[in-house]
Amino acid sequence: MGRVVVGVAVSVAVVACIVAAGVVSRRVQNRGKWRRVVRVLKELEEACETSVGRLKQVVDAMAVEMHAGLASEGGSKLKMLLTFVDNLPDGNEMGTHYALDLGGTNFRVLSIQLEGNRSSILDHDVERLPIPQHLMTSTGRERCCRVLGTSNDKKRSQHKSHSTLIIGTGTNACYLERTDAIIKCQGLLTTSGFMVVNMEWGNFWSSHLPRTSYDIDLDFDSPNPNDQGFEKMISGMYLGDVVRRVILRMSQESDIFGFGSSRLSMPFVLTTPLMAEMHEDESLDLRDVARILNDILGIPEVSLKARKLIVRICDVVTRRAARLVAAGILGILKKMGRDGTGGIAGARSRTDVNIKRTVVAVEGGLYTNYTMFREYLHEALIEILGEEIAKHIILKVTEDGSGIGAALLAASHSSN
């Protein structure tokens, strides 16, 4: 009888050892899985690094490329297209005028009513027609030039300067340039001495841009490889897909997101608005993240720890994009001499009253609807310029500004 008891005890001990070994093995495996995905995250963070020093290099590079694009055709990736718009509205325009605006997400038809005497716009109507997804990603897609929406503000003065920035599904910028600085069209004369230049800044490129392997793969798979490099790092068309590619890489390194999902391999299945929704999920259990992973990417039952990892990926990609946009804006202002540095060259303090107030009109859902993107952009402006100078750079949201601006230009030219 004693032998039986001893035999049972030994068997139980062996089973316990096997179970314990299994538990330890699983823990080791889990730690290994997390080490692999954390390594992917760390590599992403390092590759997306946007220190103030690097951003200042991007600022300088943008200004240099603008000079080169104005000097000769093909002299820069920036096309610096002449719009031949040399007179902006003066507030005396009258009548009803129309504009068509083909954007990245919607085709808009606008009408505005003006009554002159420097009055504001009496009324404007907008009809929006969504652009089908297959046209948004096709090789034959054409883009319309957006023209700066200029306000009929009675308080306009020599201390204010306007620049068109669109940060949405697509991105572009326009600004007012001196005609004598447009070297590639020597002898170009305008009544005002200025001309609006369409930069096509989405095509900007510099070795100082923090490009990752995910950006390289996205560019290679796109309908326009080696073009629109800046746009592919900052615009709403692409940010969600960069995040998708990072999640896909992690799923290949580990099974923390299950055993793979075919949807993860579908380009653009994760849109930027969905990415923003995950990024700004404030629920304790990140339920919006879980819902989007399940419904859109086909990844069910993701742990809270893994959901937090997704939020971090969104944060890294968004922060890089917003900070690069800030550097791009300051590059334009530097070229215009409106970045504040000239105004304080010989000053004893950074509160010099001669610093000119500059207004940048901004349109696009990525800026207007994505709170974290907007906050990171403003934060970068302050970091690069310093708070005292940055407060003179005003980013003003203009609803339907590109279309209204086009209609106002039509009004100003019809009156002439």
Side-chain angles (χ1 to χ4, degrees), residues 53-348:
R54 169 170 258 174
L55 292 178
K56 287 181 177 179
Q57 290 175 319
V58 175
V59 170
D60 292 339
M62 178 67 78
V64 167
E65 289 299 310
M66 291 173 69
H67 277 285
L70 291 172
S72 63
E73 293 293 348
S76 167
K77 293 284 278 185
L78 292 176
K79 298 185 184 300
M80 305 302 286
L81 302 176
L82 305 187
T83 64
F84 295 94
V85 174
D86 60 346
N87 282 306
L88 297 181
D90 61 10
N92 293 313
E93 293 74 25
M94 299 182 65
T96 302
H97 303 271
Y98 300 88
L100 307 179
D101 183 3
L102 179 60
T105 304
N106 294 299
F107 176 63
R108 297 179 294 182
V109 182
L110 302 93
S111 67
I112 65 170
Q113 184 179 352
L114 306 169
E115 67 171 7
N117 298 319
R118 290 192 173 274
S119 64
S120 60
I121 296 172
L122 288 179
D123 190 22
H124 81 278
D125 294 316
V126 182
E127 181 176 355
R128 293 177 175 84
L129 303 174
I131 299 175
Q133 181 68 25
H134 72 279
L135 291 181
M136 292 171 63
T137 57
S138 67
T139 56
R141 180 179 58 171
E142 297 180 355
R143 295 182 179 272
C144 281
C145 170
R146 277 87 162 206
V147 183
L148 168 67
T150 304
S151 168
N152 288 322
D153 190 349
K154 294 181 181 180
K155 298 179 181 178
R156 189 184 308 156
S157 74
Q158 63 179 353
H159 296 295
K160 294 176 66 178
S161 176
H162 290 268
S163 301
T164 188
L165 183 65
I166 296 182
I167 316 172
T169 304
T171 184
N172 198 6
C174 290
Y175 74 105
L176 199 60
E177 180 60 272
R178 302 188 329 271
T179 50
D180 61 3
I182 307 175
I183 309 301
K184 62 184 178 182
C185 290
Q186 285 186 333
L188 180 66
L189 298 177
T190 63
T191 303
S192 65
F194 291 89
M195 181 174 290
V196 174
V197 173
N198 170 17
M199 291 177 58
E200 289 295 325
W201 88 336
N203 209 38
F204 167 68
W205 188 252
S206 166
S207 60
H208 299 300
L209 293 175
R211 199 183 197 198
T212 70
S213 60
Y214 309 103
D215 301 304
I216 294 172
D217 291 342
L218 185 152
D219 180 59
F220 180 81
D221 295 337
S222 72
N224 57 339
N226 299 317
D227 282 328
Q228 300 299 112
F230 194 48
E231 180 173 70
K232 289 169 183 173
M233 297 176 75
I234 67 172
S235 79
M237 181 72 186
Y238 300 100
L239 296 187
D241 203 57
V242 174
V243 170
R244 176 194 67 84
R245 290 170 183 271
V246 178
I247 299 173
L248 177 61
R249 167 73 185 283
M250 288 183 171
S251 72
Q252 293 168 343
E253 293 284 334
S254 167
D255 62 359
I256 66 166
F257 299 119
F259 295 98
S261 165
S262 58
R263 295 188 203 171
L264 258 180
S265 299
M266 297 171 58
F268 300 103
V269 67
L270 181 64
T271 63
T272 297
L274 289 173
M275 181 203 77
E277 190 175 349
M278 291 195 296
H279 187 195
E280 298 182 331
D281 185 355
E282 296 182 349
S283 62
L284 293 178
D285 58 353
L286 297 177
R287 63 177 66 96
D288 290 335
V289 175
R291 172 179 53 80
I292 292 170
L293 289 176
N294 180 69
D295 296 350
I296 305 302
L297 296 180
I299 306 176
E301 300 179 0
V302 177
S303 69
L304 181 59
K305 188 176 181 180
R307 291 177 221 169
K308 291 180 179 179
L309 189 68
I310 296 294
V311 174
R312 181 57 186 159
I313 296 169
C314 296
D315 186 74
V316 172
V317 173
T318 298
R319 185 172 185 270
R320 178 189 68 164
R323 290 170 70 83
L324 290 179
V325 170
I329 292 172
L330 294 181
I332 297 173
L333 298 185
K334 184 180 183 72
K335 168 64 178 68
M336 298 173 69
R338 306 288 303 209
D339 63 338
T341 54
I344 62 168
R348 295 182 179 179

Side-chain angles (χ1 to χ4, degrees), residues 2-60:
R3 292 177 183 175
V4 173
V5 172
V6 170
V8 171
V10 170
S11 298
V12 170
V14 170
V15 171
C17 289
I18 293 173
V19 171
V23 170
V24 171
S25 176
R26 283 194 297 273
R27 287 178 177 174
V28 170
Q29 288 177 352
N30 287 336
R31 283 198 295 268
K33 292 174 185 177
W34 274 102
R35 277 198 297 267
R36 290 195 291 273
V37 296
V38 168
R39 183 176 66 246
V40 172
L41 177 61
K42 292 298 182 184
E43 290 172 352
L44 176 70
E45 290 175 333
E46 291 172 2
C48 290
E49 183 266 332
T50 49
S51 65
V52 173
R54 169 170 258 174
L55 292 178
K56 287 181 177 179
Q57 290 175 319
V58 175
V59 170
D60 292 339

